[in-house]
Amino acid sequence: MLSFEIVRGDITRFPAEAIVNAANKYLEHGGGVAYAIAKAAAGNVAEYIRISKEAMREQLGKSSIEHGEVVVTPALRLERYGIRHVIHTVGPYCGGIWNEERKEKLRKAILGALKKADELGVKTIAFPAISAGIYGCPLEEVVRTFRETVEEFSKEAKSVERVYLVLYSEETYRRALKA
Ligand code: AR6
């Protein structure tokens, strides 16, 4: 049985075995939740970008990722919260406009991270609202896509038992619950 829960919190200290980063395709963690995770994990954002790019080379043999592809980096300082892995995935850019194509890209980004978590053998995984920040996708649509994708994944999940969608602000948390 897989559970899906919407919670309010800071993903950089959320006690899930794997946390997901809303990255860009080059894993340049310049802003938003990516910057926050990089800073909290390594203490130094440039250092975590270096680690991420090196991991991308090793795991995928290239220097950018597509929607659905993921890269895993160690949690480093976040291990103190029980976090073991950071899974980097890239959602669509929306700029305020939502359509089927963007939904499909987001679905792939979420599913890629869930499958990797299963492969890593983790039981708990926490996501930020991928694409709902700098990438400008409507939060409500992002939340609905999460729900649907987790439901789809629940049929094939092996080790993952609990999926959390972590909202940073009270306002986004309330809107997500409503959606
Ligand atoms: N914990 C949980 N959620 C957070 C946190 C946190 N500590 N900090 C921010 N959020 P964004 P995107 C929320 O912009 O839209 C980066 O520069 C935030 O409020 O981080 O996918 C990347 O490198 C929002 O709801 O990701 C990419 O270039 C959500 O996380 C680009 O931004 C996602 O916001 C990706 O943009």
Side-chain angles (χ1 to χ4, degrees), residues 31-165:
V33 73
Y35 183 92
I37 291 173
K39 178 98 187 165
N44 174 310
V45 176
E47 173 62 5
Y48 210 62
I49 292 174
R50 192 193 62 72
I51 291 168
S52 302
K53 285 177 179 285
E54 197 179 297
M56 175 157 61
R57 271 259 152 246
E58 278 171 14
Q59 292 165 33
L60 301 173
K62 52 188 195 168
S63 49
S64 72
I65 57 173
E66 304 295 328
H67 307 289
E69 293 181 325
V70 298
V71 172
V72 185
T73 53
L76 307 180
R77 295 181 184 185
L78 306 185
E79 278 176 12
R80 76 183 86 168
Y81 306 112
I83 301 168
R84 289 166 47 210
H85 312 281
V86 178
I87 302 175
H88 304 267
T89 195
V90 54
Y93 174 81
C94 292
I97 297 158
W98 186 249
N99 58 29
E100 275 308 310
E101 191 190 334
R102 284 161 186 167
K103 184 181 175 126
E104 180 53 23
K105 286 178 179 170
L106 181 60
R107 180 185 154 272
K108 279 187 180 172
I110 298 165
L111 207 52
L114 288 168
K115 286 183 174 177
K116 180 58 76 176
D118 233 12
E119 215 179 288
L120 292 166
V122 307
K123 287 194 170 71
T124 51
I125 178 171
F127 284 86
I130 299 168
S131 288
I134 293 165
Y135 280 0
C137 299
L139 178 76
E140 284 75 9
E141 298 295 352
V142 168
V143 173
R144 285 183 202 118
T145 308
F146 261 99
R147 235 204 68 165
E148 289 168 24
T149 308
V150 172
E151 191 172 337
E152 178 189 343
F153 172 73
S154 70
K155 297 176 188 111
E156 61 172 275
K158 287 175 211 76
S159 101
V160 176
E161 294 173 357
R162 288 189 297 284
V163 180
Y164 298 94
L165 177 58

Side-chain angles (χ1 to χ4, degrees), residues 9-13 21-25 27-37 89-93 127-137 139 166-169 172:
D10 178 351
I11 203 159
T12 66
R13 47 184 63 212
N21 178 25
N24 57 44
K25 61 191 296 192
L27 306 187
E28 299 272 4
H29 314 310
V33 73
Y35 183 92
I37 291 173
T89 195
V90 54
Y93 174 81
F127 284 86
I130 299 168
S131 288
I134 293 165
Y135 280 0
C137 299
L139 178 76
V166 182
L167 281 309
Y168 199 40
S169 70
T172 52

